Structure formats: structure tokens, C-alpha cells
Amino acid sequence: MPLFLESRLIVLATIFKQNREGKLAQGQDAGVYAIETSGLTKSFGKVKAVVGLDLKVEEGALYALLGPNGAGKTTTINLLTTLIGPDKGMAKVAGYDVVKQPGMVRRSIGVTFQEVSLDRNLTGRSLLDIHGRLYQLPQKEIKKRIEQLVELVELQEVLDRPVKTYSGGMKRRLELARGLLTEPSILFLDEPTVGLDPHNRENIWAYLQELRSRGNLTIMLTTHYLDEAEKLADKVGIIDEGKLVVEGSPASLIASLGTDIIKLTGSGDLARFKEALRQQEWIAAFRVASERIKQDGSSIEGASAPVSAPRGVESPETAGKSEETALSEAVEATTTASDMAVEPGGITEILINLTSEAGRSVKPLVDLAEHNGFEVADVSLQRPTLNEVFFKYTGRRLRD
Amino acid sequence: MATVLKNRAIAAPKEPGEWNGLLAGIYTLWLKHMRKFRSSPVEVLFTLATPVLWILFFGICMTGMVVPTQTGLGYQAFITPGVMLLTGLTASILGGTTLLLERVNGTLKEYLVAPIPRLAVLLGSMTSGLTKAVLQAIAVLVAGAVLDSTLQFRILPFLAALTIVGVYSLGFVGLASAFASQAKSMESYHSLIMVMNLPVLFISNALYPLEKMPVTIRGLAMLNPTTYGVDACRILLYGSKPEIGLGIDLVVLAAFMVLGIYIGYRSFSSVMQKIGA
């Protein structure tokens, strides 16, 4: 029977494979980007799924493709993982062309698909073992890696049970382990947390962060959860109707929306500090959010009237509109109220709108506070979310 | 047509190591399907039960009604080759089901992004289908030999008959893979298979000799590969008088195998083009 012959040849195949792996690692160093596409295009009949996509993902980065359903995220993943071929354009993954060297691409990547794609009747262990064999890993290595990965995704106890008995979260975790079994240099995750409860989502996030801390793994994931992209990604690409709409770090995208807000918590001479704040050009506005938080931590809701462009206050002539006048009045009211309410030692929260990026303004702000007798206990940033970024660039809200 | 053959995804391996990938892929898929087969005793039991039931009930009961034919065999012995091939057919269909299931539940994608040629996926499924067919044919042979004294345990004729079953089954594995690649759902696959299954048995010499058939049906039976398989097995196992002749049987069966595999390959590769659509 040829089958027996084949199993012999597998052994040979595995040995050759190992030799090649050394070369493969060298080949990867040559590529500057882990993933690089230019003009990538794919249509299904009349439907244009991906239109002239240009992407660059640096080695070791976590890149999140963000977009609504049907935006072309999955098609992009399918193209990059060699599942389908492009109509036009070029894509390189781990330095290999997806059309000319699909085999090398496949050796370099791990993939989890959007829909759970596990064989229900196999045990978790058997499923991982089969996967390792598909990549021609030696048996010993497969066994060792299964032990390690199962520990990472916490499936030790169910490993020898059939997959059909697993919960949704366990299946996702098993898929993640399967994607990692071959120690890929690039991991593609298509909606890795879709349909999971918050606890399981956070587990997956934690595994991904743990993985990244271990080595130079590049991850590309798609998601329509904004908080996921914001929490995990170094770089976010917003994709809509097959095109890249905007790209950048979550922070820079958010910053592009406008000013940051710094929240200062502290105590001291509030009136003098407020006066000083009004003098600063780099402060667009500020308001006292809550004040006089007692020592036991419970806060008395202070007046939190929205407030005060300092210039607006100082030059009433520009504040022609009635609402701005109202604002100024509110400022005065707040000022009076808080001045009276705050006893020495009370704690106040002040929200400050900046004209420049928050990162550069924190120190001057803290210095300003301390020079004016206001002791800062805590500083925090409040930023607009990616939700708003998405809306700004696509004109649409994300829907599930 | 030509574009399908030129499809890079399924073309002969060009990158280094792809031949290893092909063998590893075929072996791994075969191993996986065998593990699943082994771990589902119901599947094993049912597929083995059907042919044994045929021989036990149909064979024994019909024996009283049937006059000996020119093949010189008792009725039970007469139908054993046909039942054996029927078993092969069933196993081939199951092989197709495996492929279809993997396509429907998304497991196929796992293979397609693995460093194995796509051809390995098809051949792996075919190989496991073939293995099941041969295993079941062995069970039928054993049952036949136990129930009927005309069949002797002899290595060479057994091996020869099993080879015939293998060749015959591979043809059907190919056809089943073609259906499985294209079928929209499990239901449509099975209705197609049901339509195919019975005529393949009835319009052949498996249950009655060619000479007793009306001319038109005999003509149809001559288009059925089962007829040639049954004739060859009767000659090899029982040394009975040929209805057609071993040489022609072998040529026709080999041609059927090649055709079946080719159709399966064509169908599979055209589906590979559309995947992800």
C-alpha cells in the first residue's frame, strides 16, 4: 500500500523542513515590513470587496483593521493569508509575495478565521496534533508546544474532550492556540472576540498582550469593536467599502479629532489657580467638575456648569452670541460657588481643554498649579474615542 | 476549462518542499479522517451492517427462489461481489460527505492556509474514502466466506478482488468529491447520492445475471461500472464463467477510475477558485 510508504516519506519531509526553517528566518530579516500591499484589489462578480488597498505593517506591530460588516476586512485577510488570489495589485507577507510564493507565506503565518472552524468530533489535543502535522512539525515538537500553548490559553482540563463539548470561549481559545502552534511570525485574527462575553474577550486580549511581550510577533486583527482596537493596537486602519479611509495610531487618530482634555484633581488655592489658568494661551477652556471630595472619598456634587473660554470672559465684545454670555455668567456663578464651598484641604476636580496635544501640556500645567498654590493629587487624560473617529471619517456609526 | 487547469493554487508544486507538503498533507488528512472514523463507532457499525444484512437476509431468502445460473454459483455467492462493491460505493459516498462537511464547517480553510498544496486536500479525502471502502470490502469477504462454503479463504484471489473494489471505489470517490465540492448543502448532496445509489446497484448484474435482463436494461447495465466490477470479482473469487471477460473488466474499471478522479479534481479546483466569495 502506498500509505505505508507515505508515512516513511513524512519523516523525511519533516527533516528537510527543519533545514529549511533556518533559511526562512534569514529571509524574513530582509523585509522591512511584515505586511505590505499596494493597489490590492479583489472583486466578487460585481461586488468590489477590496479596492486598491495600500497597507504597511511594521514587524512586531499589532495592526487593527477596523470597519463595519462588509467593509472588506475579511477579504483582506483572505488575500493576505493566500486563501484567495487578488485580481490586481501586490501583497507581501513576511517578505514573500502571496501570489508567487504562497507556500512560504503559509509557513510564516498563523490564522484564525471569523467563523469557528474546528472539527467538532476531534478532541482538542488531536485537533492541535493534526494541525502541527499539516505544517510538518516533528511529533516531539508538536507535543511540547501543545503543552505550552494549552497552558497559555488555559485549556488543560478540557484538552482531551471532544471539541463539541467546548463553550464558545474555549473554542476561540483553542483556535488561538492552533494559530500559534506553528510559531508564526505573523498572526492573522479575523474578529477574534466576536460573540464572546466580556470576560472571555478580556481573556483573549490578555493572551495577545502576553504573546506580544514574549517576542517579535506581528499581529493583524480585524474587529468592529472600537475598544478592542484602542486597547490592543499600535496602529489602526479604518476600512470602508474596500478602501483604507484613514490610518494611524489610536492616539493620533483621536487627537486628529480635536483637543484633549486633562483632568486635574487636587486641593489648594482654587481662586488663584483659576485666575492663572485664564492667563494661559494654551488653555482653551476649563471647568470645575466636582469639588470638595471629602477625605473618606465620597464626593459632594459641585456645580459643574460647562464653561469658560478665558478669552471669552475677558473680552465680552467677542462674545456676541447669547449662549456665550450665558457661559460667562455660569463661570462667574461657578467661581463664586466653588470659592465659598471649598474649605482648605478639600479636593477639587478641574477639566481643562487644551489647544495643543495633552502630552506636552501636562508638565506646564502641573507647574502652573503648584506655582499658584494648588497642589495636584492626580492628573488624567480624557480623550475622544475611536467611535467618534470612525464617524468622522466614514460619516457612519459602527453597527454590530 | 483551460483556466481551471492553469489555476496556480492547485497546479503541480513549484516551490521547494511542496512535494513533501503534498505527501504530508495527504497523510495528515487521511490520519484525521481515520481518527474520526475510529472514534465514531456508529459510523463503523452502520456501514458494516448494511452489506452483511444484504447477504444474510436478501441472499438467504432469495436462494430458495432462484434457479442456478450459468455462472454456476449459489445465489448467496452470486450476490456477494455485488454487495462488496455496493459497500465500496457507500464508503465512497461517505468520503464525499467528509469533504462536504469540512467545506461547510470551515475546516477546509485550515488546510488551505497550511503549507500543503490544495491537491493534497482532495487526495487526502480520496485516500481516506478508499481506505474505508477497502476495510468494509474485507468485512464483506469475511462474512461471505463464513456464511457460504463456496468462498474459500485464499490470499491471492482476496487481494485481487480487493484491488478491484479499490479501483471501482476510487472512481466513485472522485464523483462523490465532485458532488461534495459543488453541493450547496448536506441535503442536496444526499438527495443526489440517493438518486445515484440505487440504479448503480439495480441496473447491473449484481443481483441478477445479464442474460436474464431485457435488452434495453442490459444495454444500460453495460454502461454501469458495477457490472464490470461484479464480473471481475466473480471470476477472481469463485472462478466462475465470465459474463464479459476479465480483460475488458479491468480496462473499463481503470478508465472509470481515471475519469472519476479527473471529474473530482476538476470540480474541486473550480470550487477552490471561488472560495471566499
Side-chain angles (χ1 to χ4, degrees), chain B residues 203-204 210 216-228 252 256:
Chain B
I203 310 176
S204 79
L210 285 173
T216 39
I217 299 185
R218 192 187 303 161
L220 288 175
M222 295 306 279
L223 296 175
N224 184 349
T226 314
T227 304
Y228 301 90
V252 172
F256 171 66

Side-chain angles (χ1 to χ4, degrees), chain A residues 234-296:
Chain A
D234 303 312
K235 211 170 181 188
V236 177
I238 294 183
I239 184 171
D240 195 32
E241 292 173 343
K243 292 183 200 115
L244 194 63
V245 183
V246 65
E247 189 183 49
S249 69
S252 74
L253 285 181
I254 288 162
S256 73
L257 275 181
T259 59
D260 287 338
I261 298 167
I262 286 181
K263 187 171 87 177
L264 277 187
T265 312
S267 59
D269 193 342
L270 191 62
R272 191 174 142 207
F273 181 42
K274 281 187 349 191
E275 194 47 45
L277 283 174
R278 285 195 190 100
Q279 310 290 329
Q280 307 304 316
E281 283 195 352
W282 44 274
I283 290 171
F286 69 89
R287 69 186 171 96
V288 177
S290 69
E291 52 202 53
R292 226 189 58 149
I293 297 160
K294 281 182 182 167
Q295 303 298 31
D296 64 26

Side-chain angles (χ1 to χ4, degrees), chain B residues 148-207:
Chain B
D148 182 54
S149 56
T150 12
L151 187 61
Q152 308 282 314
F153 280 104
R154 280 173 303 158
I155 298 292
L156 268 181
F158 267 46
L159 285 182
L162 287 177
T163 311
I164 296 290
V165 175
V167 170
Y168 171 87
S169 301
L170 262 180
F172 277 108
V173 165
L175 291 181
S177 304
F179 288 144
S181 303
Q182 304 282 353
K184 297 250 176 335
S185 66
M186 210 60 177
E187 288 79 6
S188 59
Y189 176 75
H190 276 291
S191 42
L192 240 171
I193 291 299
M194 286 298 280
V195 168
M196 194 179 86
N197 206 343
L198 287 180
V200 164
L201 181 68
F202 290 136
I203 310 176
S204 79
N205 57 351
L207 303 177

Side-chain angles (χ1 to χ4, degrees), chain A residues 255-393:
Chain A
S256 73
L257 275 181
T259 59
D260 287 338
I261 298 167
I262 286 181
K263 187 171 87 177
L264 277 187
T265 312
S267 59
D269 193 342
L270 191 62
R272 191 174 142 207
F273 181 42
K274 281 187 349 191
E275 194 47 45
L277 283 174
R278 285 195 190 100
Q279 310 290 329
Q280 307 304 316
E281 283 195 352
W282 44 274
I283 290 171
F286 69 89
R287 69 186 171 96
V288 177
S290 69
E291 52 202 53
R292 226 189 58 149
I293 297 160
K294 281 182 182 167
Q295 303 298 31
D296 64 26
S298 66
S299 95
I300 295 171
E301 279 304 311
S304 58
V307 194
S308 162
R311 266 160 268 149
V313 176
E314 277 156 25
S315 48
E317 66 273 12
T318 57
K321 292 168 197 162
S322 60
E323 55 176 328
E324 279 197 32
T325 320
L327 272 181
S328 311
E329 279 165 12
V331 176
E332 294 314 313
T334 312
T335 312
T336 331
S338 53
D339 283 348
M340 298 199 316
V342 176
E343 301 157 32
I347 291 174
T348 310
E349 267 181 30
I350 310 174
L351 294 174
I352 299 155
N353 278 51
L354 302 162
T355 53
S356 62
E357 208 185 310
R360 267 178 261 149
S361 308
V362 173
K363 188 161 187 301
L365 194 61
V366 172
D367 287 346
L368 186 75
E370 312 232 303
H371 286 138
N372 288 285
F374 187 83
E375 200 180 324
V376 176
D378 192 20
V379 181
S380 67
L381 273 178
Q382 296 199 338
R383 297 189 142 165
T385 62
L386 274 168
N387 249 324
E388 289 147 61
V389 178
F390 186 80
F391 182 69
K392 179 183 170 186
Y393 287 104

Side-chain angles (χ1 to χ4, degrees), chain A residues 82 84 103 119 126 129 131, chain B residues 15 35-36 110 114 118 275:
Chain A
T82 75
I84 52 176
D119 221 303
S126 183
D129 172 61
H131 189 74
Chain B
E15 287 180 77
R35 276 188 195 168
K36 280 171 70 181
E110 179 196 353
R118 293 178 181 194
I275 225 163

Side-chain angles (χ1 to χ4, degrees), chain A residues 122-137:
Chain A
L122 288 175
T123 64
R125 189 188 298 279
S126 183
L127 197 130
L128 292 174
D129 172 61
I130 291 289
H131 189 74
R133 288 169 183 268
L134 275 179
Y135 286 74
Q136 299 132 60
L137 300 176

Side-chain angles (χ1 to χ4, degrees), chain A residues 43-273:
Chain A
S43 305
F44 299 110
K46 283 179 187 159
V47 184
K48 288 176 179 166
V50 174
V51 188
L53 191 66
D54 298 316
L55 280 181
K56 284 188 173 64
V57 178
E58 275 150 39
E59 222 171 279
L62 194 151
Y63 191 100
L65 267 182
L66 187 67
N69 292 336
K73 302 187 298 283
T74 298
T75 305
T76 306
I77 295 276
N78 287 350
L79 286 166
L80 293 176
T81 56
T82 75
L83 200 58
I84 52 176
D87 296 337
K88 265 191 289 182
M90 180 280 294
K92 277 188 173 176
V93 174
Y96 302 111
D97 191 297
V98 293
V99 176
K100 290 174 198 143
Q101 299 160 292
M104 298 312 268
V105 171
R106 290 174 194 161
R107 284 188 192 284
S108 317
I109 62 173
V111 190
T112 73
F113 297 103
Q114 191 171 346
E115 285 101 26
V116 172
S117 59
L118 300 169
D119 221 303
R120 295 163 40 82
N121 293 320
L122 288 175
T123 64
R125 189 188 298 279
S126 183
L127 197 130
L128 292 174
D129 172 61
I130 291 289
H131 189 74
R133 288 169 183 268
L134 275 179
Y135 286 74
Q136 299 132 60
L137 300 176
Q139 273 297 295
K140 231 171 122 185
E141 190 62 28
I142 294 176
K143 284 211 177 81
K144 199 181 88 194
R145 291 190 195 174
I146 288 177
E147 293 309 318
Q148 292 167 349
L149 282 170
V150 159
E151 205 174 305
L152 172 80
V153 298
E154 299 167 277
L155 285 175
Q156 299 97 318
E157 279 155 38
V158 295
L159 193 60
D160 289 307
R161 279 178 16 199
V163 172
K164 61 186 164 198
T165 64
Y166 286 24
S167 70
M170 288 176 183
K171 283 182 188 160
R172 279 283 169 197
R173 274 141 59 194
L174 183 64
E175 287 198 314
L176 184 61
R178 184 176 69 181
L180 292 165
L181 186 73
T182 53
E183 298 189 345
S185 61
I186 303 169
L187 186 63
F188 289 92
L189 307 169
D190 197 359
E191 310 251 356
T193 62
V194 77
L196 293 185
D197 60 37
H199 171 70
N200 271 306
R201 281 180 75 197
E202 277 171 27
N203 276 346
I204 297 273
W205 292 353
Y207 303 144
L208 292 181
Q209 278 160 342
E210 162 79 21
L211 280 168
R212 296 193 63 204
S213 69
R214 288 188 192 178
N216 203 28
L217 178 66
T218 309
I219 301 177
M220 173 178 262
L221 61 82
T222 72
T223 182
H224 51 196
Y225 294 123
L226 293 151
D227 55 337
E228 188 161 293
E230 200 171 351
K231 173 133 187 162
L232 296 172
D234 303 312
K235 211 170 181 188
V236 177
I238 294 183
I239 184 171
D240 195 32
E241 292 173 343
K243 292 183 200 115
L244 194 63
V245 183
V246 65
E247 189 183 49
S249 69
S252 74
L253 285 181
I254 288 162
S256 73
L257 275 181
T259 59
D260 287 338
I261 298 167
I262 286 181
K263 187 171 87 177
L264 277 187
T265 312
S267 59
D269 193 342
L270 191 62
R272 191 174 142 207
F273 181 42

